[in-house]
Amino acid sequence: MVRLTKDLIAKSVSHKNRNEEDFGQYLQKITHLNLSDKNIDTIGHLSLCKNLRVLYLYDNQIRQIQNLDFASNITHLYLQNNRISCIENLSLLKNLEKLYLGGNSITVVEGLDKIEKIRELHIESQHLPLGEKLLFDPRSLRSLADLEVALKKWTKLRRMDLTGNPICHKPKYRDRIVVQSQTLESLDGKEIKEMERRFLMNWKASKAARKQHKERMTNEHASYLHFSVSETSYPRLPFHHSPSVKEKTNVLVLSEMHKVKRKPLPRILGEKNQMITQLNSMEIKESWEFVKEQK
């Protein structure tokens, strides 16, 4: 087991003026630290490295992200090709811009919702058990659809690499990401050109407009059918057997038609008004003809 400590740093870095300067003061000044491929499996306390900006820890045996709270100024963190299974303990890295986690064993993308300055996220080629898929924590990404939500928050994200993960096989995966993020310049190692983004945005807007138009037409058609059944229905003239006609007891006559006041028809524009008026006239005409024939 190799633990990342002050002593390990002392053995790994070259310091020309080590005799003239206290090593502790030297650690306080360094901004870049390369400890890649050192067989490190545990990150120890590095509280003296307060001005650290870039930390290389790739190609090691690290299983857990820990003890990095001191590095509030760090902007680049390289942790690819380790044995990390969980993204954690990064909430205090307020200035982190680039995070490299490719080639680990991460099953859930999480713990990134508080890293607002992230510009590049590399999480490609995770070593997952057979049948496992890379998932996204509901609080930060909430599956592919809510990866778009996260991109709205990561307004400084420029590059993202998810190559080799099942999410890349989702329908229109690239199109949806490109449309959602206005700042992303590269996705999975492929440049996002402005012409591509404009085309996809126009396509999305056109699709949304067609969907809205279809819904509006459906609603209008449903409203028209409801109006035709309920609003345009009007009462028919009453009929009854006439007791005054003895020879033809089954004759139907209109009952005091001159006293019946029909309700005014609803005002309907265009052809609807004309159609209802015609139907009304035809009904009255047919009723009188029926009475005349019986007499």
Side-chain angles (χ1 to χ4, degrees), residues 24-56:
Q25 295 179 354
Y26 167 74
L27 290 179
Q28 292 178 6
K29 292 181 179 180
I30 60 173
T31 59
H32 291 63
L33 184 58
N34 190 346
L35 293 172
S36 59
D37 198 15
K38 301 293 183 183
N39 205 32
I40 298 171
D41 61 358
T42 306
I43 302 176
H45 293 279
L46 301 174
S47 56
L48 290 176
C49 304
K50 294 182 178 181
N51 289 311
L52 197 61
R53 299 288 190 279
V54 181
L55 177 59
Y56 298 94

Side-chain angles (χ1 to χ4, degrees), residues 220-238:
E220 290 179 355
H221 180 66
S223 299
Y224 170 71
L225 291 178
H226 177 74
F227 178 79
S228 298
V229 173
S230 60
E231 297 298 332
T232 63
S233 298
Y234 48 88
R236 293 179 177 271
L237 293 174

Side-chain angles (χ1 to χ4, degrees), residues 3-14 18 23 26-27 30 33 35 45-46 49:
R3 185 179 180 86
L4 176 54
T5 61
K6 177 180 175 180
D7 294 335
L8 180 62
I9 297 175
K11 296 177 182 178
S12 303
V13 300
S14 59
R18 186 172 299 175
F23 186 63
Y26 167 74
L27 290 179
I30 60 173
L33 184 58
L35 293 172
H45 293 279
L46 301 174
C49 304

Side-chain angles (χ1 to χ4, degrees), residues 226-239 257 260-268 271-287:
H226 177 74
F227 178 79
S228 298
V229 173
S230 60
E231 297 298 332
T232 63
S233 298
Y234 48 88
R236 293 179 177 271
L237 293 174
F239 292 91
M257 184 175 178
V260 177
K261 294 184 178 180
R262 299 182 59 84
K263 296 181 179 180
L265 295 175
R267 300 189 62 178
I268 304 175
E271 296 180 356
K272 294 181 183 178
N273 187 28
Q274 183 179 0
M275 182 182 298
I276 292 174
T277 303
Q278 291 175 354
L279 289 174
N280 184 31
S281 300
M282 290 175 63
E283 183 183 34
I284 297 173
K285 182 178 180 181
E286 289 174 359
S287 300

